[in-house]
Amino acid sequence: MKKNYGQIYTLPLTLWLTVFFTIPILIIVAISFFKKGLYGGVEFKLSLDAYKALFNPLFLKTLTSTLFISVITTIFIIIFAIPSAYYIARSKKKDFWIFLIIIPFWTNFLIRIYAWIAILGNNGLVNNILIKLGVIENYVQFLYNQWSVITVLTYVSLPFAILPLYSTIEKFDFSLLEAARDLGASKAQSIYKVLLPNIKSGITTAILFTFIPTFGNYAVPQIIGGKDSVMVGTIIARELTVMRNWPLASSISVALTIMTTIGVLLFSNFNKSKTEELRELKRGIK
Amino acid sequence: MIGGELIIDNVSKDFDSVRVLRNANLKIKPGEFFSLLGPSGCGKTTLLRIIAGFEYPTEGAVYLDGKNIINKSPNNRHVNTVFQNYALFPHLSVFENVAFSMRLKKESNEKIRKKVTEYLALVKLEEHVKKMPSQLSGGQKQRVAIARALINEPSVLLLDEPLSALDAKLRQQLLIELDAIHDEIGITFIYVTHDQQEALSVSDRIAVMDRAEILQVGTPFEIYENPANLFIANFIGETNNIKGTVKNVDDDIITIETDSFGDFKIFKDKEVSIGDTVKVTIRPEKIRISRERPTDTDLPINVLTGRIDELIYSGFQTKYYVTLDVNGVTFKVFKQHIKYFMDDTPFSWKENVLIWWYAKDSFLIEVK
């Protein structure tokens, strides 16, 4: 029998993930069940206080608004990413466009977010242009609200949607669109009825890659957001650093993780059930 | 169904200032099985794509039943295409693939079920309705593609090398079925192929194309037996080319002098005068191979002596490559085995033989 070297090969990775991923998560879970210490930290007494606090209406409101921001952001991203990825996949200068998409990663994440203040700020680029053009007389407050957060979150995650979509669309057989047109489909119908169903796996990946980081994002609402755009990530940071309530920060994190995991499982299951159905059909079960 | 009449009126097409189709003119009759035949890159697929509406001609017009259709989008043309790579929708079952155009028209489920079943029966795929395209063989995929294109009841069906991805046996079988379907539904078929055998066997008429131009339009018989130029003679089937000078012109026999093997006679089917440089072609199957001079004919014949250099036995026939004694010119000679091979005392490799043909079987192809 052939010896299975797989476990040996993956040992470094297993160690790394255990030390820096699994153990910290277990610590967070543990802290969430302890009592809050007076000056931060925890008292080692079991308590469900942190979980009870989750049902505070203020927190639930933040959760709803986080969900709203994440969903809208993901929708925007997908709407922008599909045409971009399609264009790149059909372009003769694919490498060039992919390069342009990757370039922003050479700049620090926070600096890119601050750059948006220079663009959307009261004395920023957009306001100045609009005033010069005479469209508005006084500056408009673009920043520090829900929509500025959505704008910047969309910008931040867009590449993570374009890249998986591009790799799926690139494999798509474009003659199928001609076949659809030939059979009487309008341009829009050929996209809707033939392209989209065939790049579903790319869309799924794009949604997961953008929704999850957006849902847990902390930096963007912190820097660009206002009172109406407090997100769960912001609350966790505040509870941890300002309020010194470690168990609450932990319980929120745990709740966030559980919700995301359930969401991902449901979503990928929904997609898988269709593929499963196809496989069963192939086996001749149906 | 009634086939459409298609007129290609002086159509040209440039890609990045390279002319890929030059002044194409064709008149395709209603219900005709018409082939566009030519080597790859000759412009035949471009012409088909212009008819389908995927390309816009740089010049010219395309008339379907009297109406210019070049400004219509592909979905508004009464024309459907069978694609080379099948182009079946991988996410839809066989049934839904065929039903695609009817679903777009929002037909009732009952009507769709009935018609899809009817067309799947036409291509003999009734049992595979529920399968996905990935579960089908190449031949089955192409049948789905044909049913899917026909269900729309187009007046012209365009076929873009539909059989090129299939193996030889299957290709032959599907070709016969395609011909039967054509006879059954009676619409106009335009068939693009680089395979002369395919084109000859099913077409009513063929347009031979090369380097962006249509060189000859005619029935398979005309194209094969009376090619317009040397390219066609060489492209359609195999042939032997002889170059020479006219030495003597009789009432109906021309004597041609060659540099390589002396004089030979040919039937006068074109006007020539003494001194003209001519090119003559003789099909290999019209040349006989024998050990003795034929004595039982009064017709003018040409006899040459040579040696069998190469011999390819392929069951129903043998191809002999006979090199002439005089100076190494090689003739291709195909002999059909109409008798039991062993009864015929077969010729062997390196054997010295005579090859001969009737003067009327070779013909003048170019006169300068």
Side-chain angles (χ1 to χ4, degrees), chain A residues 84-103 162-163 165-174:
Chain A
S84 315
Y86 182 85
Y87 178 80
I88 296 171
R90 297 216 78 168
S91 161
K92 281 177 186 154
K93 295 187 286 181
K94 288 178 193 162
D95 294 346
F96 172 72
W97 295 115
I98 292 290
F99 179 66
L100 282 193
I101 284 176
I102 291 171
I103 277 186
I162 292 180
L163 293 176
L165 276 168
Y166 160 75
S167 73
T168 320
I169 295 177
E170 214 220 345
K171 286 183 217 113
F172 177 75
D173 175 8
F174 292 104

mmCIF file of all heavy atoms in Angstrom, chain A residues 84-103 162-163 165-174:
data_model
loop_
_atom_site.group_PDB
_atom_site.id
_atom_site.type_symbol
_atom_site.label_atom_id
_atom_site.label_comp_id
_atom_site.label_asym_id
_atom_site.label_seq_id
_atom_site.Cartn_x
_atom_site.Cartn_y
_atom_site.Cartn_z
ATOM 1 N N SER A 84 -17.470 43.848 -15.308
ATOM 2 C CA SER A 84 -16.021 44.051 -15.377
ATOM 3 C C SER A 84 -15.325 42.744 -15.713
ATOM 4 O O SER A 84 -14.477 42.698 -16.613
ATOM 5 C CB SER A 84 -15.475 44.562 -14.043
ATOM 6 O OG SER A 84 -16.284 45.566 -13.540
ATOM 7 N N ALA A 85 -15.671 41.695 -14.985
ATOM 8 C CA ALA A 85 -15.033 40.395 -15.217
ATOM 9 C C ALA A 85 -15.312 39.920 -16.640
ATOM 10 O O ALA A 85 -14.435 39.390 -17.324
ATOM 11 C CB ALA A 85 -15.543 39.377 -14.206
ATOM 12 N N TYR A 86 -16.537 40.141 -17.108
ATOM 13 C CA TYR A 86 -16.909 39.742 -18.471
ATOM 14 C C TYR A 86 -16.052 40.493 -19.487
ATOM 15 O O TYR A 86 -15.509 39.907 -20.419
ATOM 16 C CB TYR A 86 -18.389 40.044 -18.694
ATOM 17 C CG TYR A 86 -18.905 39.639 -20.061
ATOM 18 C CD1 TYR A 86 -19.326 38.344 -20.295
ATOM 19 C CD2 TYR A 86 -18.960 40.560 -21.097
ATOM 20 C CE1 TYR A 86 -19.786 37.957 -21.532
ATOM 21 C CE2 TYR A 86 -19.425 40.186 -22.347
ATOM 22 C CZ TYR A 86 -19.839 38.896 -22.565
ATOM 23 O OH TYR A 86 -20.296 38.519 -23.788
ATOM 24 N N TYR A 87 -15.917 41.790 -19.254
ATOM 25 C CA TYR A 87 -15.125 42.593 -20.189
ATOM 26 C C TYR A 87 -13.679 42.117 -20.220
ATOM 27 O O TYR A 87 -13.092 41.936 -21.288
ATOM 28 C CB TYR A 87 -15.188 44.073 -19.803
ATOM 29 C CG TYR A 87 -14.348 44.930 -20.713
ATOM 30 C CD1 TYR A 87 -14.837 45.312 -21.960
ATOM 31 C CD2 TYR A 87 -13.055 45.309 -20.367
ATOM 32 C CE1 TYR A 87 -14.070 46.056 -22.825
ATOM 33 C CE2 TYR A 87 -12.276 46.046 -21.224
ATOM 34 C CZ TYR A 87 -12.787 46.420 -22.450
ATOM 35 O OH TYR A 87 -12.013 47.149 -23.318
ATOM 36 N N ILE A 88 -13.119 41.882 -19.022
ATOM 37 C CA ILE A 88 -11.717 41.446 -18.961
ATOM 38 C C ILE A 88 -11.555 40.099 -19.666
ATOM 39 O O ILE A 88 -10.628 39.901 -20.444
ATOM 40 C CB ILE A 88 -11.234 41.346 -17.503
ATOM 41 C CG1 ILE A 88 -11.265 42.718 -16.854
ATOM 42 C CG2 ILE A 88 -9.822 40.771 -17.439
ATOM 43 C CD1 ILE A 88 -11.027 42.691 -15.364
ATOM 44 N N ALA A 89 -12.491 39.182 -19.410
ATOM 45 C CA ALA A 89 -12.377 37.840 -19.986
ATOM 46 C C ALA A 89 -12.424 37.887 -21.508
ATOM 47 O O ALA A 89 -11.846 37.043 -22.187
ATOM 48 C CB ALA A 89 -13.485 36.939 -19.446
ATOM 49 N N ARG A 90 -13.126 38.856 -22.065
ATOM 50 C CA ARG A 90 -13.240 38.935 -23.524
ATOM 51 C C ARG A 90 -12.198 39.854 -24.142
ATOM 52 O O ARG A 90 -12.063 39.898 -25.358
ATOM 53 C CB ARG A 90 -14.640 39.435 -23.927
ATOM 54 C CG ARG A 90 -15.740 38.493 -23.503
ATOM 55 C CD ARG A 90 -16.858 38.441 -24.502
ATOM 56 N NE ARG A 90 -16.517 37.618 -25.641
ATOM 57 C CZ ARG A 90 -17.402 37.221 -26.554
ATOM 58 N NH1 ARG A 90 -18.661 37.586 -26.454
ATOM 59 N NH2 ARG A 90 -17.031 36.469 -27.557
ATOM 60 N N SER A 91 -11.484 40.590 -23.275
ATOM 61 C CA SER A 91 -10.531 41.567 -23.786
ATOM 62 C C SER A 91 -9.275 40.873 -24.300
ATOM 63 O O SER A 91 -8.927 39.775 -23.878
ATOM 64 C CB SER A 91 -10.182 42.551 -22.684
ATOM 65 O OG SER A 91 -8.984 43.213 -23.006
ATOM 66 N N LYS A 92 -8.585 41.555 -25.202
ATOM 67 C CA LYS A 92 -7.319 41.013 -25.682
ATOM 68 C C LYS A 92 -6.194 41.357 -24.715
ATOM 69 O O LYS A 92 -5.122 40.799 -24.787
ATOM 70 C CB LYS A 92 -7.006 41.574 -27.072
ATOM 71 C CG LYS A 92 -7.790 40.851 -28.152
ATOM 72 C CD LYS A 92 -7.518 41.462 -29.519
ATOM 73 C CE LYS A 92 -8.431 40.826 -30.552
ATOM 74 N NZ LYS A 92 -8.676 41.712 -31.679
ATOM 75 N N LYS A 93 -6.445 42.364 -23.850
ATOM 76 C CA LYS A 93 -5.402 42.788 -22.918
ATOM 77 C C LYS A 93 -5.747 42.347 -21.505
ATOM 78 O O LYS A 93 -5.733 43.138 -20.571
ATOM 79 C CB LYS A 93 -5.252 44.311 -22.985
ATOM 80 C CG LYS A 93 -4.746 44.801 -24.324
ATOM 81 C CD LYS A 93 -4.463 46.283 -24.302
ATOM 82 C CE LYS A 93 -5.753 47.073 -24.313
ATOM 83 N NZ LYS A 93 -5.554 48.518 -24.309
ATOM 84 N N LYS A 94 -6.041 41.059 -21.345
ATOM 85 C CA LYS A 94 -6.446 40.533 -20.036
ATOM 86 C C LYS A 94 -5.429 40.855 -18.953
ATOM 87 O O LYS A 94 -5.781 41.339 -17.881
ATOM 88 C CB LYS A 94 -6.586 39.009 -20.127
ATOM 89 C CG LYS A 94 -7.781 38.572 -20.912
ATOM 90 C CD LYS A 94 -7.808 37.054 -20.994
ATOM 91 C CE LYS A 94 -8.817 36.657 -22.040
ATOM 92 N NZ LYS A 94 -8.691 35.339 -22.519
ATOM 93 N N ASP A 95 -4.147 40.572 -19.249
ATOM 94 C CA ASP A 95 -3.104 40.751 -18.240
ATOM 95 C C ASP A 95 -3.069 42.186 -17.733
ATOM 96 O O ASP A 95 -2.920 42.428 -16.546
ATOM 97 C CB ASP A 95 -1.732 40.400 -18.829
ATOM 98 C CG ASP A 95 -1.667 38.928 -19.157
ATOM 99 O OD1 ASP A 95 -2.550 38.195 -18.674
ATOM 100 O OD2 ASP A 95 -0.748 38.531 -19.891
ATOM 101 N N PHE A 96 -3.236 43.118 -18.662
ATOM 102 C CA PHE A 96 -3.207 44.526 -18.300
ATOM 103 C C PHE A 96 -4.320 44.862 -17.315
ATOM 104 O O PHE A 96 -4.105 45.506 -16.284
ATOM 105 C CB PHE A 96 -3.329 45.370 -19.573
ATOM 106 C CG PHE A 96 -3.494 46.836 -19.320
ATOM 107 C CD1 PHE A 96 -2.429 47.596 -18.864
ATOM 108 C CD2 PHE A 96 -4.723 47.453 -19.530
ATOM 109 C CE1 PHE A 96 -2.576 48.949 -18.629
ATOM 110 C CE2 PHE A 96 -4.879 48.809 -19.294
ATOM 111 C CZ PHE A 96 -3.804 49.567 -18.840
ATOM 112 N N TRP A 97 -5.525 44.428 -17.611
ATOM 113 C CA TRP A 97 -6.671 44.758 -16.739
ATOM 114 C C TRP A 97 -6.545 44.095 -15.378
ATOM 115 O O TRP A 97 -6.843 44.697 -14.348
ATOM 116 C CB TRP A 97 -7.988 44.341 -17.415
ATOM 117 C CG TRP A 97 -8.269 45.104 -18.674
ATOM 118 C CD1 TRP A 97 -8.324 44.618 -19.929
ATOM 119 C CD2 TRP A 97 -8.522 46.513 -18.792
ATOM 120 N NE1 TRP A 97 -8.578 45.606 -20.830
ATOM 121 C CE2 TRP A 97 -8.707 46.778 -20.164
ATOM 122 C CE3 TRP A 97 -8.598 47.557 -17.879
ATOM 123 C CZ2 TRP A 97 -8.967 48.055 -20.636
ATOM 124 C CZ3 TRP A 97 -8.862 48.836 -18.356
ATOM 125 C CH2 TRP A 97 -9.044 49.064 -19.710
ATOM 126 N N ILE A 98 -6.089 42.840 -15.381
ATOM 127 C CA ILE A 98 -5.904 42.137 -14.096
ATOM 128 C C ILE A 98 -4.850 42.868 -13.263
ATOM 129 O O ILE A 98 -5.013 43.062 -12.060
ATOM 130 C CB ILE A 98 -5.448 40.672 -14.358
ATOM 131 C CG1 ILE A 98 -6.588 39.884 -15.012
ATOM 132 C CG2 ILE A 98 -5.000 40.000 -13.082
ATOM 133 C CD1 ILE A 98 -7.746 39.606 -14.107
ATOM 134 N N PHE A 99 -3.823 43.327 -13.945
ATOM 135 C CA PHE A 99 -2.770 44.096 -13.278
ATOM 136 C C PHE A 99 -3.375 45.338 -12.609
ATOM 137 O O PHE A 99 -3.107 45.633 -11.449
ATOM 138 C CB PHE A 99 -1.728 44.480 -14.336
ATOM 139 C CG PHE A 99 -0.578 45.287 -13.825
ATOM 140 C CD1 PHE A 99 0.329 44.726 -12.930
ATOM 141 C CD2 PHE A 99 -0.393 46.594 -14.239
ATOM 142 C CE1 PHE A 99 1.397 45.468 -12.460
ATOM 143 C CE2 PHE A 99 0.675 47.344 -13.768
ATOM 144 C CZ PHE A 99 1.567 46.789 -12.876
ATOM 145 N N LEU A 100 -4.218 46.051 -13.346
ATOM 146 C CA LEU A 100 -4.841 47.259 -12.799
ATOM 147 C C LEU A 100 -5.669 46.942 -11.559
ATOM 148 O O LEU A 100 -5.749 47.739 -10.631
ATOM 149 C CB LEU A 100 -5.749 47.919 -13.854
ATOM 150 C CG LEU A 100 -5.073 48.736 -14.934
ATOM 151 C CD1 LEU A 100 -6.123 49.555 -15.681
ATOM 152 C CD2 LEU A 100 -4.020 49.665 -14.348
ATOM 153 N N ILE A 101 -6.284 45.755 -11.562
ATOM 154 C CA ILE A 101 -7.130 45.406 -10.423
ATOM 155 C C ILE A 101 -6.285 45.068 -9.197
ATOM 156 O O ILE A 101 -6.672 45.316 -8.065
ATOM 157 C CB ILE A 101 -8.065 44.241 -10.817
ATOM 158 C CG1 ILE A 101 -9.164 44.805 -11.696
ATOM 159 C CG2 ILE A 101 -8.654 43.559 -9.594
ATOM 160 C CD1 ILE A 101 -10.099 43.803 -12.229
ATOM 161 N N ILE A 102 -5.101 44.542 -9.449
ATOM 162 C CA ILE A 102 -4.249 44.123 -8.336
ATOM 163 C C ILE A 102 -3.440 45.297 -7.756
ATOM 164 O O ILE A 102 -3.131 45.320 -6.577
ATOM 165 C CB ILE A 102 -3.328 42.967 -8.801
ATOM 166 C CG1 ILE A 102 -4.206 41.727 -9.030
ATOM 167 C CG2 ILE A 102 -2.265 42.651 -7.772
ATOM 168 C CD1 ILE A 102 -3.508 40.590 -9.687
ATOM 169 N N ILE A 103 -3.145 46.287 -8.600
ATOM 170 C CA ILE A 103 -2.320 47.425 -8.160
ATOM 171 C C ILE A 103 -2.730 48.015 -6.790
ATOM 172 O O ILE A 103 -1.871 48.226 -5.943
ATOM 173 C CB ILE A 103 -2.311 48.546 -9.238
ATOM 174 C CG1 ILE A 103 -1.258 48.214 -10.286
ATOM 175 C CG2 ILE A 103 -1.987 49.892 -8.629
ATOM 176 C CD1 ILE A 103 -1.077 49.309 -11.310
ATOM 177 N N ILE A 162 -14.266 40.356 -8.513
ATOM 178 C CA ILE A 162 -13.901 40.357 -9.938
ATOM 179 C C ILE A 162 -13.017 39.148 -10.266
ATOM 180 O O ILE A 162 -13.223 38.468 -11.267
ATOM 181 C CB ILE A 162 -13.191 41.670 -10.327
ATOM 182 C CG1 ILE A 162 -14.184 42.826 -10.263
ATOM 183 C CG2 ILE A 162 -12.617 41.569 -11.743
ATOM 184 C CD1 ILE A 162 -13.598 44.169 -10.624
ATOM 185 N N LEU A 163 -12.047 38.864 -9.387
ATOM 186 C CA LEU A 163 -11.091 37.802 -9.717
ATOM 187 C C LEU A 163 -11.740 36.417 -9.856
ATOM 188 O O LEU A 163 -11.546 35.770 -10.875
ATOM 189 C CB LEU A 163 -9.930 37.800 -8.720
ATOM 190 C CG LEU A 163 -9.050 39.059 -8.825
ATOM 191 C CD1 LEU A 163 -7.972 39.055 -7.764
ATOM 192 C CD2 LEU A 163 -8.425 39.190 -10.209
ATOM 193 N N LEU A 165 -14.849 35.763 -10.442
ATOM 194 C CA LEU A 165 -15.787 35.829 -11.573
ATOM 195 C C LEU A 165 -15.035 35.764 -12.897
ATOM 196 O O LEU A 165 -15.443 35.077 -13.829
ATOM 197 C CB LEU A 165 -16.611 37.113 -11.504
ATOM 198 C CG LEU A 165 -17.832 37.029 -10.591
ATOM 199 C CD1 LEU A 165 -18.416 38.407 -10.354
ATOM 200 C CD2 LEU A 165 -18.877 36.099 -11.187
ATOM 201 N N TYR A 166 -13.909 36.477 -12.940
ATOM 202 C CA TYR A 166 -13.111 36.468 -14.166
ATOM 203 C C TYR A 166 -12.669 35.045 -14.509
ATOM 204 O O TYR A 166 -12.781 34.608 -15.649
ATOM 205 C CB TYR A 166 -11.894 37.387 -14.001
ATOM 206 C CG TYR A 166 -10.790 37.100 -14.977
ATOM 207 C CD1 TYR A 166 -10.919 37.496 -16.305
ATOM 208 C CD2 TYR A 166 -9.645 36.417 -14.602
ATOM 209 C CE1 TYR A 166 -9.922 37.220 -17.221
ATOM 210 C CE2 TYR A 166 -8.649 36.140 -15.502
ATOM 211 C CZ TYR A 166 -8.781 36.539 -16.816
ATOM 212 O OH TYR A 166 -7.805 36.254 -17.717
ATOM 213 N N SER A 167 -12.186 34.335 -13.484
ATOM 214 C CA SER A 167 -11.661 32.996 -13.804
ATOM 215 C C SER A 167 -12.785 32.061 -14.243
ATOM 216 O O SER A 167 -12.565 31.148 -15.030
ATOM 217 C CB SER A 167 -10.872 32.422 -12.638
ATOM 218 O OG SER A 167 -11.748 32.041 -11.616
ATOM 219 N N THR A 168 -14.005 32.275 -13.770
ATOM 220 C CA THR A 168 -15.129 31.452 -14.237
ATOM 221 C C THR A 168 -15.564 31.864 -15.643
ATOM 222 O O THR A 168 -15.786 31.019 -16.506
ATOM 223 C CB THR A 168 -16.349 31.590 -13.303
ATOM 224 O OG1 THR A 168 -15.900 31.622 -11.966
ATOM 225 C CG2 THR A 168 -17.321 30.439 -13.493
ATOM 226 N N ILE A 169 -15.675 33.167 -15.854
ATOM 227 C CA ILE A 169 -16.168 33.641 -17.157
ATOM 228 C C ILE A 169 -15.154 33.310 -18.258
ATOM 229 O O ILE A 169 -15.526 33.006 -19.380
ATOM 230 C CB ILE A 169 -16.465 35.161 -17.111
ATOM 231 C CG1 ILE A 169 -17.605 35.428 -16.134
ATOM 232 C CG2 ILE A 169 -16.832 35.686 -18.498
ATOM 233 C CD1 ILE A 169 -17.948 36.883 -15.951
ATOM 234 N N GLU A 170 -13.879 33.321 -17.886
ATOM 235 C CA GLU A 170 -12.860 33.037 -18.883
ATOM 236 C C GLU A 170 -13.026 31.628 -19.458
ATOM 237 O O GLU A 170 -12.706 31.377 -20.606
ATOM 238 C CB GLU A 170 -11.483 33.184 -18.240
ATOM 239 C CG GLU A 170 -10.457 33.706 -19.217
ATOM 240 C CD GLU A 170 -9.138 33.016 -19.043
ATOM 241 O OE1 GLU A 170 -8.944 32.368 -18.008
ATOM 242 O OE2 GLU A 170 -8.325 33.112 -19.964
ATOM 243 N N LYS A 171 -13.554 30.721 -18.626
ATOM 244 C CA LYS A 171 -13.742 29.346 -19.088
ATOM 245 C C LYS A 171 -15.069 29.176 -19.827
ATOM 246 O O LYS A 171 -15.343 28.126 -20.390
ATOM 247 C CB LYS A 171 -13.700 28.385 -17.895
ATOM 248 C CG LYS A 171 -12.304 28.190 -17.358
ATOM 249 C CD LYS A 171 -12.314 27.167 -16.229
ATOM 250 C CE LYS A 171 -11.326 27.557 -15.148
ATOM 251 N NZ LYS A 171 -11.969 27.916 -13.879
ATOM 252 N N PHE A 172 -15.894 30.211 -19.793
ATOM 253 C CA PHE A 172 -17.216 30.123 -20.421
ATOM 254 C C PHE A 172 -17.075 30.109 -21.945
ATOM 255 O O PHE A 172 -16.234 30.807 -22.510
ATOM 256 C CB PHE A 172 -18.053 31.327 -19.975
ATOM 257 C CG PHE A 172 -19.403 31.400 -20.599
ATOM 258 C CD1 PHE A 172 -20.409 30.552 -20.186
ATOM 259 C CD2 PHE A 172 -19.666 32.324 -21.605
ATOM 260 C CE1 PHE A 172 -21.662 30.616 -20.759
ATOM 261 C CE2 PHE A 172 -20.919 32.396 -22.184
ATOM 262 C CZ PHE A 172 -21.912 31.540 -21.760
ATOM 263 N N ASP A 173 -17.863 29.259 -22.574
ATOM 264 C CA ASP A 173 -17.821 29.142 -24.029
ATOM 265 C C ASP A 173 -18.739 30.210 -24.646
ATOM 266 O O ASP A 173 -19.955 30.086 -24.609
ATOM 267 C CB ASP A 173 -18.290 27.724 -24.410
ATOM 268 C CG ASP A 173 -18.410 27.538 -25.905
ATOM 269 O OD1 ASP A 173 -18.001 28.445 -26.650
ATOM 270 O OD2 ASP A 173 -18.916 26.485 -26.317
ATOM 271 N N PHE A 174 -18.117 31.266 -25.173
ATOM 272 C CA PHE A 174 -18.914 32.405 -25.627
ATOM 273 C C PHE A 174 -19.770 32.090 -26.850
ATOM 274 O O PHE A 174 -20.693 32.819 -27.164
ATOM 275 C CB PHE A 174 -18.014 33.610 -25.904
ATOM 276 C CG PHE A 174 -17.413 34.170 -24.654
ATOM 277 C CD1 PHE A 174 -16.085 33.935 -24.333
ATOM 278 C CD2 PHE A 174 -18.188 34.903 -23.770
ATOM 279 C CE1 PHE A 174 -15.533 34.423 -23.160
ATOM 280 C CE2 PHE A 174 -17.646 35.400 -22.598
ATOM 281 C CZ PHE A 174 -16.318 35.159 -22.292
#
